[in-house]
Structures are given as structure tokens and as C-alpha cells.
Amino acid sequence: PLWRLVGQLEDGLQGGETAISDAAWSEYLEDSPTPEGFDVIVAHGPGPLAAAAKSPARAVWRYELDASNAEAAAWERLEPLVAQCDAVAELPAAIDPLAPGSIDLPVRLAGSMLRSLGVDLERPCVFQARPFDSWQDPHHVLDAFALARESAPGLQLVLAGDPVQDDVEAWRLLREVSEYAEAQQDLQLLRDVGDVELNALRAVARAGVESTLAPASQVTKLETLWKGTPMVSARSEDPPEATAGRIAELVNDPGLAVDVGRAGHELVRRDHLITRLAENELRLLASFQST
């Protein structure tokens, strides 16, 4: 199916191995429609790229991640299509502040929701949202958490989210972590949580934590910062001790956590709301009127 091929292209752009057959690629090229009646076509990601390249209109490819990390086979497929575009737009990620995952929640409501999910509100907690994305590394987060508890007694870690249905590797990872979590009193694994529950978790937690195997989407991080909650971000090759030190520092110094979270909220307000994204896209489209 087309959605599976697009998923493989997304993985390839992040550096993952792809196995797209010539037949599947030909089908993608043939089944992509030719948009007509437009002055400019903006392709968001690899999915609509073939359609944009076919169009007689000006074409722009917009992709959030740096394609320099792309796997060679995936980029070999995509590069000729990108070359047919008139521009490549490097527009930053953005969030909708009025979406269910970002709207303001009363503190008592957020606390009540988390208490019903088993989170102990009497102790500080940190969390990793959507940890079973193929490009997240919950093992690094678990190692860092174990070290952080040594200097932050009573700390809880919440892993919240499920793998996408067809991601076999992510489901394997979920099984591993589930078995480990059963024996850990201070580790909560929350599944089937919606955007509002994640909103509550972001609002109440002392910090969000993420560890990635490759550059990944910034949306989850931005959603956390918007709630005024600081993020501890690491790459999987970073030493867990460094990640643990940043976690413990924020947990043991609530004033610092507030200051860092406030700065993160302001960063998102200034540069990463959908209104700013709309402004950037309108400027991009307007630039074609003068050429």
C-alpha cells in the first residue's frame, strides 16, 4: 500500500534501511495524481512529492528533517523528484495551541486524570511520550532514570504511548519494556492514552525526557515546552550519566525547572505556533509572485 511505502521513505530520510522494490516505486509514481489549476504546489514530506513534481505549477518540497542523514537508497529514489521542484523549504515544526494535546487544563483536572491512571501525585515524575516510535530509544531513558533516582529519591518515570500498528520493531520494543516495567515500582507504562491525557502529563510532570536514534520530529518536544515543562533531550550515543544528571538537576531544583520551562514556552510562542508557520508559508508563496 502507498502509506507503507511512504512510511519506508520517511524512515529512509532519517537514515533507516529501506527495501522498496522497483515495482512498488513505479506504482507510487504512476498512482500519484497530477494536480491541475494551481499556481504553486507545496509537498509536505515524501508522500505527495511525486504529485508535486508532475504538476505544471511551481513546486516546493517542505520537509522538517535534514535530508543529509538520508539512507542512500531512499535518497536515490527521491532526489530526482526533489530536483524537479522549484524550491526546498526549511520551515520549522509548529503546534496548534488549541488542539486537545495543548490547550490549558485546570491543574485539579490534570491531577485527577493522572491519579486515575496510577501516577502518584505526591512524588515528582518525568515522562517520555510516544516512546515506541522506531526512532526513540526508551532503553537510554530507562538507564538514565535508574541513575537519576540515586540523587532524586522517589522519582517516577512514565512511558506513555503505543507503537503504530505496522511497526514490528516498535512492538518488539514494547514487549521488552513491558516485561521490565512489571518489576519496577517507580515505572509506569501507560497505553491507550489520548492527547488530553498526554496534555495532563506534560502539565504536571517535572520534565519530559527523550532519547533518539536519529534526528526526529520536534513536535512532541514542542508540545511539552508549550506546557512550560522543560525537556531533557539526548541522542542514544550520549552517556546515560549525562542525561541522568540533567534529570536530577531539574527534579531537585523546582525553581530551575520553572525557569527553563518558561523559556521553552516563550520559544514555542515566538517561533513554533501554527500562526507563525502560516506566516512563513504565505511568505514562501508570495515569493513566487515576484519571480
Side-chain angles (χ1 to χ4, degrees):
L2 180 60
W3 61 268
R4 184 167 295 166
L5 182 144
V6 172
Q8 290 187 40
L9 290 174
E10 291 278 4
D11 285 346
L13 284 169
Q14 291 178 265
E17 294 184 4
T18 58
I20 300 172
S21 68
D22 291 341
W25 183 249
S26 296
E27 184 178 354
Y28 161 70
L29 295 177
E30 292 172 4
D31 290 350
S32 296
T34 302
E36 297 180 352
F38 301 96
D39 296 314
V40 181
I41 304 292
V42 180
H44 293 255
L49 182 56
K54 285 182 177 182
S55 173
R58 299 289 188 88
V60 180
W61 186 49
R62 176 181 178 253
Y63 192 62
E64 180 188 336
L65 301 177
D66 182 0
S68 65
N69 296 300
E71 181 231 12
W75 187 241
E76 184 178 346
R77 301 274 195 188
L78 291 171
E79 186 177 24
L81 299 178
V82 175
Q84 293 179 53
C85 293
D86 297 276
V88 175
E90 298 180 1
L91 301 182
I95 66 166
D96 180 358
L98 301 180
S102 298
I103 58 173
D104 286 336
L105 289 178
V107 175
R108 292 183 63 181
L109 174 60
S112 176
M113 293 172 64
L114 294 181
R115 191 180 293 110
S116 69
L117 293 173
V119 179
D120 185 353
L121 300 181
E122 301 299 319
R123 297 185 290 146
C125 78
V126 295
F127 74 96
Q128 183 180 16
R130 303 186 175 97
F132 304 111
D133 177 303
S134 290
W135 296 99
Q136 296 290 323
D137 183 8
H139 288 305
H140 179 100
V141 174
L142 291 171
D143 291 342
F145 170 66
L147 294 169
R149 279 190 303 176
E150 297 176 4
S151 53
L155 180 63
Q156 304 168 87
L157 172 64
V158 178
L159 301 178
D162 291 292
V164 296
Q165 192 63 38
D166 68 323
D167 193 332
V168 176
E169 177 62 22
W171 281 98
R172 182 194 63 76
L173 188 60
L174 171 62
R175 288 194 295 273
E176 287 182 8
V177 174
S178 296
E179 293 172 1
Y180 176 79
E182 290 177 0
Q184 303 299 315
Q185 193 170 23
D186 295 323
L187 173 59
Q188 292 275 356
L189 182 60
L190 301 183
R191 299 188 54 196
D192 299 318
V193 293
D195 288 340
V196 177
E197 289 84 0
L198 285 175
N199 185 339
L201 185 58
R202 293 185 179 106
V204 172
R206 188 63 54 85
V209 187
E210 68 172 3
S211 176
T212 57
L213 300 170
S217 172
Q218 295 291 299
V219 171
T220 296
K221 179 178 180 177
L222 295 174
E223 288 172 335
T224 300
L225 294 176
W226 177 245
K227 305 304 294 185
T229 299
M231 280 292 301
V232 176
S233 299
R235 292 291 297 273
S236 59
E237 64 266 23
D238 293 340
E241 293 81 4
T243 307
R246 294 195 292 272
I247 293 172
E249 184 179 27
L250 292 168
V251 170
N252 292 326
D253 189 343
L256 174 64
V258 169
D259 289 343
V260 174
R262 184 182 293 121
H265 174 86
E266 176 59 22
L267 172 68
V268 177
R269 186 198 66 78
R270 187 181 67 242
D271 296 330
H272 295 284
L273 295 182
I274 56 171
T275 47
R276 179 62 181 273
L277 176 60
E279 179 184 354
N280 289 337
E281 290 194 339
L282 287 172
R283 291 181 185 278
L284 172 66
L285 297 177
S287 70
F288 286 99
Q289 293 182 334
S290 58
T291 59

